[in-house]
């Protein structure tokens, strides 16, 4: 494979975009810089400065904020906020979005992120990640309005994630194709390692937290029972893999196929995962890799959000496996 860096790749992509001004490439480069900083911090967490462990605070989700969470959030906000390319930054860690008026150097993009997803796994050395989504400002004035912050998933300009694991990978799409880059820590550069990623039509892995089974609907229970049944023709029973870190569970699903599910249940009627910076960006990626993503009965990218931090149920992965789950849910609805 040609040894091409992420920035070189972005420039080639940019040439395909009508009227591309280079602003998008510059914004993506800022994301790249922030991700290298977080990668360095994650990979030495626990060594030297004490950035492991809890801050004693809780975030808008009511979750305990880990020091690396806070560090990642501040790093992305500082670097992206000063880029001159965004008029708003919405983060899982902050109740309200940060708005940057045009006269204060605000740009034409909306940046949404989960700065460090899966943070409960930091102390046990399980891979964690950043998930981001980019929309174009729609309103005309110098201020950012709700119509800019609450756009349908299919209005995304770009989406991506960075997974801080055994190696650091940067995966993104601007539509049509999905590209993966691996960080060479010695050079401090991301190089193309996965060109035009496509998810298998079907897999042989299902991923769900069966600890929640008692709260599941009958339909959800039947979905999991289906994947557990023996049937050679459909490669069942599927293997169960559940890491509890969305970026890791999704990355494995994208590469190997199968289905990841975080369904609604009796205690969480809308599920747990967030539309703006978890479900929507990963759905944009999976559809551009030939996969499928829904709430179980509605396509994620067709949803019109009403709140930035709203939750949605998520079924995402191989087209046939997600469709199978939807058909079973429909039968029991
Ligand atoms: P549960 C991590 O806290 C997270 O937000 C996602 O990364 C992950 O997919 C999910 O929650 C795991 O939730 O309820 O199975 O622990």
């Amino acid at each position: 494979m040609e040894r091409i860096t992420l920035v070189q790749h972005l420039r080639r992509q940019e040439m395909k975009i009508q009227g591309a001004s280079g602003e998008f490439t510059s914004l993506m480069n800022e994301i790249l810089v922030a991700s290298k900083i977080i990668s360095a911090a994650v990979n030495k967490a626990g060594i030297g400065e004490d950035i492991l462990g809890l801050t004693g605070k809780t975030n808008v989700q009511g979750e305990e904020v880990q020091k690396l969470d806070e560090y990642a959030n501040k790093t992305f906000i500082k670097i992206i906020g000063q880029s001159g390319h965004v008029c708003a930054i919405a983060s899982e860690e902050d109740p309200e979005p940060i708005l940057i008026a045009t006269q204060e150097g605000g740009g034409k993009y909306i940046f949404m992120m989960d700065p460090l997803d899966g943070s409960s796994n930091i102390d046990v050395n399980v891979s964690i990640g950043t998930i981001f989504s980019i929309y174009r400002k729609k309103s005309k004035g110098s201020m950012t309005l709700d119509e800019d912050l609450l756009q349908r998933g299919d209005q995304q300009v770009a989406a991506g994630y960075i997974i801080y694991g055994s190696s650091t990978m940067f995966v993104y799409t601007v539509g049509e194709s999905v590209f993966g880059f691996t960080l060479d820590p010695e050079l401090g550069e991301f190089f193309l390692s996965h060109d035009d990623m496509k998810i298998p039509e079907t897999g042989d892995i299902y991923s769900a937290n069966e600890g929640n089974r008692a709260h599941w609907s009958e339909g959800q229970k039947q979905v999991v029972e289906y994947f557990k049944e023996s049937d050679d023709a459909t490669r069942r029973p599927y293997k169960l893999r559940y890491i509890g870190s969305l970026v890791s569970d999704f990355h494995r699903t994208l590469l190997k196929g199968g289905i990841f599910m975080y369904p609604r249940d009796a205690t969480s009627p809308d599920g747990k995962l967030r539309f703006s910076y978890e479900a929507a960006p990963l759905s944009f990626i999976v559809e551009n890799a030939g996969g499928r993503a829904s709430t179980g009965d509605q396509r994620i990218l067709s949803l019109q959000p009403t709140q930035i931090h709203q939750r949605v149920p998520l079924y995402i992965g191989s087209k046939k496996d997600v469709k199978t789950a939807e058909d079973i849910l429909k039968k029991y609805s």
Side-chain angles (χ1 to χ4, degrees), residues 67-259:
K67 289 177 183 172
L68 264 178
D69 261 347
E70 203 163 293
Y71 178 73
N73 195 41
K74 284 179 178 170
T75 300
F76 272 98
I77 288 171
K78 184 172 180 348
I79 292 177
I80 306 300
Q82 291 175 350
S83 69
H85 301 308
V86 301
C87 56
I89 299 177
S91 169
E92 184 194 36
E93 295 299 329
D94 301 316
E96 298 303 325
I98 294 165
L99 306 180
I100 307 165
T102 309
Q103 56 272 29
E104 295 165 351
K108 65 182 180 185
Y109 294 111
I110 314 282
F111 184 76
M112 299 191 153
M113 67 171 172
D114 185 348
L116 205 59
D117 176 83
S119 52
S120 53
N121 293 294
I122 291 174
D123 292 349
V124 294
N125 209 14
V126 165
S127 299
I128 51 184
T130 299
I131 310 171
F132 67 87
S133 176
I134 298 172
Y135 292 85
R136 197 171 278 109
K137 183 178 189 299
K138 290 167 69 174
S139 64
K140 293 298 170 224
S142 64
M143 305 308 287
T144 304
L145 309 177
D146 277 357
E147 68 180 272
D148 299 313
L149 294 164
L150 300 169
Q151 299 187 45
R152 272 170 54 119
D154 57 11
Q155 297 301 299
Q156 291 176 84
V157 172
Y161 61 87
I162 300 99
I163 182 166
Y164 310 103
S166 48
S167 63
T168 295
M169 269 196 74
F170 189 112
V171 177
Y172 88 97
T173 184
V174 293
E176 292 176 11
S177 300
V178 178
F179 303 99
F181 298 77
T182 300
L183 180 64
D184 177 332
E186 287 174 16
L187 298 178
E189 270 302 346
F190 281 98
F191 289 97
L192 182 65
S193 53
H194 297 67
D195 194 5
D196 194 14
M197 299 173 82
K198 293 299 176 197
I199 187 170
E201 190 79 7
T202 57
D204 63 357
I205 297 170
Y206 77 97
S207 185
N209 181 348
E210 295 210 38
N212 295 328
R213 190 178 187 285
H215 305 301
W216 283 349
S217 67
E218 184 55 29
Q220 177 56 33
K221 291 175 183 173
Q222 292 303 321
V223 167
V224 170
E225 289 314 306
Y226 171 83
F227 288 119
K228 285 180 166 178
E229 283 167 359
S230 289
D231 175 55
D232 292 345
T234 53
R235 298 163 63 187
R236 291 182 291 149
Y238 277 20
K239 293 184 284 288
L240 167 58
R241 295 289 183 274
Y242 191 74
I243 301 167
S245 174
L246 176 60
V247 176
S248 302
D249 279 317
F250 176 76
H251 188 61
R252 180 204 57 245
T253 305
L254 180 63
L255 292 177
K256 294 183 178 289
I259 182 170

Side-chain angles (χ1 to χ4, degrees), residues 6 22 27 44 77 83 120 129 145 179 191 201 210 262 268 272 323 325 327 329:
L6 177 47
L27 171 57
K44 69 181 177 190
I77 288 171
S83 69
S120 53
L145 309 177
F179 303 99
F191 289 97
E201 190 79 7
E210 295 210 38
Y262 208 106
S268 313
K272 174 179 185 181
K323 185 71 172 67
D327 293 345
L329 289 169

